[in-house]
Amino acid sequence: QVQLVESGGGLVQAGGSLRLSCARSGFSSYRMGWFRQAPGKEREFVAGISRSGGSTYYADSVKGRFTISRDHAKNTVYLQMNSLKPEDTAVYYCGATERSGDYTSPPTYDYWGQGTQVTVSS
């Protein structure tokens, strides 16, 4: 059973930065993704990273501001968020999958963390 634990959320002013972490149990190599969900909205794709870490994918709304990376030795995926905006406020979730498929689609992912709240004040 894979377990994902997110951390690093919090309250930050617009223009500030946060780094989210997603620690994963287990030894298999997974494709990983970050998603977010604001109140009353559907879960939306933020960023994804391949098993090797050599390929990354971003939503247009975060390109140039967010960076996804992974540390295989620590079984951890990170999301560095810079130049944060109030519209980035949401609960952020990491997902993991062994399957191929669309990185941007939540059904592609088999495992999810509990989420971490990010609030950006104006």
Side-chain angles (χ1 to χ4, degrees):
Q1 181 71 19
V2 174
Q3 290 187 324
L4 304 175
V5 180
E6 300 103 331
S7 61
L11 173 64
V12 64
Q13 289 188 331
S17 298
L18 284 173
R19 188 177 80 155
L20 305 183
S21 299
C22 174
R24 177 179 56 77
S25 64
F27 299 96
S28 296
S29 180
Y30 293 86
R31 304 165 78 210
M32 302 292 294
W34 283 98
F35 287 73
R36 65 188 181 188
Q37 190 165 15
K41 295 188 176 181
E42 293 186 351
R43 189 168 297 192
E44 66 170 357
F45 172 76
V46 175
I49 190 164
S50 64
R51 290 181 178 86
S52 68
S55 297
T56 56
Y57 310 88
Y58 296 95
D60 287 343
S61 59
V62 306
K63 277 181 183 176
R65 300 189 299 123
F66 291 11
T67 302
I68 188 171
S69 62
R70 66 191 304 164
D71 183 331
H72 287 97
K74 296 182 178 179
N75 279 350
T76 301
V77 173
Y78 303 99
L79 185 67
Q80 178 67 43
M81 306 187 296
N82 299 327
S83 302
L84 283 161
K85 305 175 181 180
E87 50 265 43
D88 294 317
T89 295
V91 178
Y92 283 69
Y93 298 90
C94 69
T97 181
E98 293 180 286
R99 298 180 284 127
S100 60
D102 182 1
Y103 270 103
T104 69
S105 177
T108 296
Y109 296 82
D110 300 309
Y111 307 101
W112 293 95
Q114 81 289 349
T116 185
Q117 176 70 47
V118 172
T119 303
V120 184
S121 62
S122 58

